[in-house]
Amino acid sequence: MKNTILLDKYLFLWKERNENVIVAEIRHYIKNEFGGTLETPIGNLICFKEHKPVFWRIKIVLRDDIKYSQTQNRVFVITKSAYKYKLNYYFEKFKDFVNPRFRAEKELDEEIKKYLLKNNWISEPFSISRSIEKSENFEFIGEIKEFDYT
């Protein structure tokens, strides 16, 4: 599956796609003047088919610790580990109360919906939701194997 760029700033790395499920990692994508890119993982797209009644459920799950400033076209990671001094982290969190930064644009939801319908990956009826979540724990189960790109 080929990666997809929507709104010229969101990169979708497709992980799985079949008749019942679609999974992608969403990254904020910025090109620099030298032809390189800066990619920041901001969340996941999960689509799955419900069977009683039959419809597609589209879930966009964005990270709580990522902020996007549309005016500056920059992504900010607000986690304690991103700051050398923990006091700077608390100052940054305090700024959110006074002057909150934009999160991922609402147009992203519409573009995802259009892309999935245009490529016949989903069909109507479907529901779409967006949530912003903080990961409390992460557990990996299974064996890691090299992915064959050929």
Side-chain angles (χ1 to χ4, degrees):
M1 259 181 284
K2 192 174 179 181
N3 297 335
T4 305
I5 298 172
L6 296 178
L7 297 174
D8 292 330
K9 62 184 91 168
Y10 297 103
L11 175 68
F12 288 77
L13 303 174
W14 302 103
K15 304 294 184 185
E16 177 67 36
R17 184 174 74 83
N18 61 42
E19 63 276 355
N20 292 316
V21 74
I22 302 167
V23 178
E25 180 183 337
I26 305 171
R27 294 184 177 191
H28 188 269
Y29 171 87
I30 299 173
K31 280 190 175 184
N32 64 24
E33 62 272 11
F34 306 109
T37 61
L38 174 64
E39 299 174 13
T40 307
I42 63 168
N44 294 297
L45 170 69
I46 303 116
C47 307
F48 55 94
K49 196 181 281 188
E50 295 277 3
H51 289 285
K52 291 188 181 178
V54 175
F55 73 96
W56 279 94
R57 186 178 301 271
I58 303 169
K59 296 181 134 212
I60 303 164
V61 182
L62 301 176
R63 289 174 48 185
D64 176 60
D65 53 356
I66 296 289
K67 310 283 184 186
Y68 168 60
S69 171
Q70 292 175 339
T71 55
Q72 298 176 26
N73 193 27
R74 290 182 59 194
V75 170
F76 297 88
V77 181
I78 312 293
T79 62
K80 287 184 187 180
S81 61
Y83 292 89
K84 183 176 180 181
Y85 301 105
K86 300 304 176 225
L87 187 58
N88 290 348
Y89 165 76
Y90 292 108
F91 282 140
E92 198 63 41
K93 289 297 278 183
F94 180 70
K95 285 184 197 174
D96 283 349
F97 293 112
V98 179
N99 187 16
R101 293 193 180 94
F102 290 98
R103 297 189 185 274
E105 298 147 293
K106 289 289 183 189
E107 292 85 23
L108 179 61
D109 301 2
E110 189 65 30
E111 286 298 313
I112 290 171
K113 182 173 64 173
K114 284 182 196 173
Y115 183 82
L116 295 173
L117 286 170
K118 184 178 86 174
N119 289 297
N120 294 320
W121 290 4
I122 66 167
S123 60
E124 291 186 7
F126 62 87
S127 70
I128 186 165
S129 66
R130 176 199 286 221
S131 62
I132 298 169
E133 298 179 2
K134 181 178 181 180
S135 297
E136 293 296 331
N137 63 1
F138 177 80
E139 184 178 358
F140 186 86
I141 300 168
E143 182 181 342
I144 297 176
K145 296 180 180 177
E146 286 293 318
F147 188 76
D148 184 16
Y149 287 100
T150 58

